Amino acid sequence: MKYISTRGNIAPIGFKEAVMMGLATDGGLILPESIPQIAPETLAAWAKLPYRELAFNIISLFATDIPAADLKALIDRSYGSFEHQETTPLVKKDGVYILELFHGPTLAFKDVALQLLGNLFEYLLKERGEKMNILGATSGDTGSAAIAGVRGKENINIFILHPHLKTSPIQALQMTSVLDANVHNIAVEGTFDDCQNIVKTLFNDLEFKKEYALGAVNSINWARVLAQVVYYFYAWGRLPEQGKVVFSVPTGNFGDIFAGYLAKRMGLPVEKLLLATNENNILARFVQSGDYSLGQVVQTVSPSMDIQLASNLERYLYYLFNESAERVRSAFAELQQTGKMVFSAEEVQRVQSEFLSCTVNEAMTLETIASFNKETGYVLDPHTAVGVRGALECVKGHPAVVCLATAHPAKFGEAVERAIGTPAPLPPQLAALQGKETRCEIMAADKELVKAFVKAKA
């Protein structure tokens, strides 16, 4: 399996190089040259496989340059850190299925990908005799999951930017209380988009990227998307009947839902992908009317979706534009110049054939947490509540609706308490964070300050 860039200006590369490259050197995102097609009989055989076995079957189609025994060991080690034997269990509540993606070390869906990516990095760096400085931006969960994936690992430093005071207190503690020598937290005085822009700018500084061996852990890294494809197949296999399914995905960055789109392209019988956003609804507007115009970020109780610039949308646009790298380049040049992208009526129609969308505001989010808890006794985190509300409004009564539960509710205790009157009980690993020593650098949203910090600590 070879990999290419959405912008068309790199020679095809192998999986190992794609993982290490992160952002393509031409500024695009990495995709496989072709998408493997899964025959119905293979799908049926996969339906009841244990999670790790299923992950090996799927990932090995894409990671063809890693020996099978090594890949299997990497996958087993990555998911051995999850506290639920099913890794991502499926539960049914109030007519919808909930795919619990929060049983990893940091209680967020990002662990599914970042435990694997951390082990892949360590494996590949050892093989190459190299070192890496990981640079990433987070709106909350990616940072702690990335840190948990690489803390203490050989040949790796990690620098994570998060928006100062704009994550939940527990999300910040999960990052800043990790004192391993190879972990560096930077709190940027600005928004997540400011953090993301600094990271992208530094990755596009090819001389700096090469000199300091920058690596990417956020959802621009292909291995993260690939790891997330697995749980779509797993959820489908755990339904009582393996028919057409609707997935409701709370998303701000388009990474998680793009993994579902890939699963569908591979042959998973997905009827629709329901894209659920909070007030920062650029993606919902894109689906509903082709309106992809940047606005101001609004702070909400679902901070991981407080994003305007969805960095993973580019991968989907490559397919929407019939794999025209030229069209991708011109669309992003237009976005940079005008703050928006324009789509033809035919393109909007194609988007709507694949996706449904809805916007769930803060009041609706809190009301959903409260009503769902009253009906079922189950506590939703605010991001999952956005997806559940979307499912209950847009596809109510559908026999197979799977809502992705992206975080443990205790990570957003203040929002949960506002909704139901009491905070979600703290699991032991979160309770242990209170009063811990922390380490973090607070900086203005200035790429030169971040660059100087990386140079000093790398």
Side-chain angles (χ1 to χ4, degrees), residues 132-325:
M132 172 188 278
N133 291 296
I134 291 170
L135 181 63
T138 186
S139 54
D141 287 333
T142 293
S144 56
I147 288 166
V150 303
R151 63 181 297 182
K153 285 200 179 331
E154 290 182 25
N155 304 317
I156 302 174
N157 290 310
I158 185 166
F159 298 83
I160 293 293
L161 283 63
H162 70 269
H164 186 43
L165 302 178
K166 291 185 174 70
T167 67
S168 80
I170 278 181
Q171 284 178 315
L173 268 175
Q174 282 187 303
M175 294 184 281
T176 59
S177 64
V178 179
L179 303 180
D180 295 64
N182 70 329
V183 173
H184 306 281
N185 282 287
I186 301 170
V188 172
E189 294 173 323
T191 66
F192 168 73
D193 286 338
D194 293 324
C195 300
Q196 184 86 305
N197 286 335
I198 290 170
V199 168
K200 274 205 155 189
T201 302
L202 293 182
F203 268 96
N204 283 325
D205 181 342
L206 297 184
E207 192 176 316
F208 179 71
K209 180 185 178 184
K210 186 178 178 183
E211 185 180 352
Y212 288 90
L214 296 189
V217 288
N218 59 4
S219 54
I220 60 177
N221 193 300
W222 165 250
R224 274 198 52 184
V225 177
L226 175 57
Q228 292 171 278
V229 170
V230 175
Y231 51 66
Y232 284 91
F233 283 88
Y234 187 79
W236 174 81
R238 292 304 178 279
L239 292 168
E241 293 179 17
Q242 277 67 59
K244 286 268 190 180
V245 60
V246 174
F247 286 99
S248 180
V249 188
T251 187
N253 222 357
F254 208 83
D256 208 5
I257 202 164
F258 180 75
Y261 172 76
L262 262 178
K264 181 179 182 180
R265 291 281 300 253
M266 290 172 70
L268 192 68
V270 176
E271 186 175 317
K272 286 278 187 177
L273 293 159
L274 170 54
L275 186 153
T277 68
N278 61 21
E279 286 93 329
N280 299 287
N281 66 348
I282 186 168
L283 289 172
R285 289 187 279 113
F286 164 67
V287 173
Q288 285 160 3
S289 62
D291 173 17
Y292 193 84
S293 54
L294 302 180
Q296 290 298 309
V297 175
V298 179
Q299 206 168 336
T300 74
V301 291
S302 46
S304 298
M305 297 191 292
D306 293 349
I307 295 167
Q308 283 292 325
L309 199 57
S311 60
N312 252 287
L313 184 66
E314 180 166 342
R315 285 189 164 107
Y316 172 68
L317 294 182
Y318 178 77
Y319 295 115
L320 179 66
F321 298 153
N322 299 312
E323 303 183 22
S324 166

Side-chain angles (χ1 to χ4, degrees), residues 37-66:
Q37 298 303 295
I38 311 305
E41 56 270 24
T42 304
L43 265 182
W46 284 0
K48 299 304 176 191
L49 288 180
Y51 193 91
R52 294 182 205 180
E53 207 174 320
L54 176 65
F56 174 75
N57 274 276
I58 292 171
I59 293 169
S60 62
L61 296 173
F62 294 88
T64 53
D65 52 0
I66 295 181

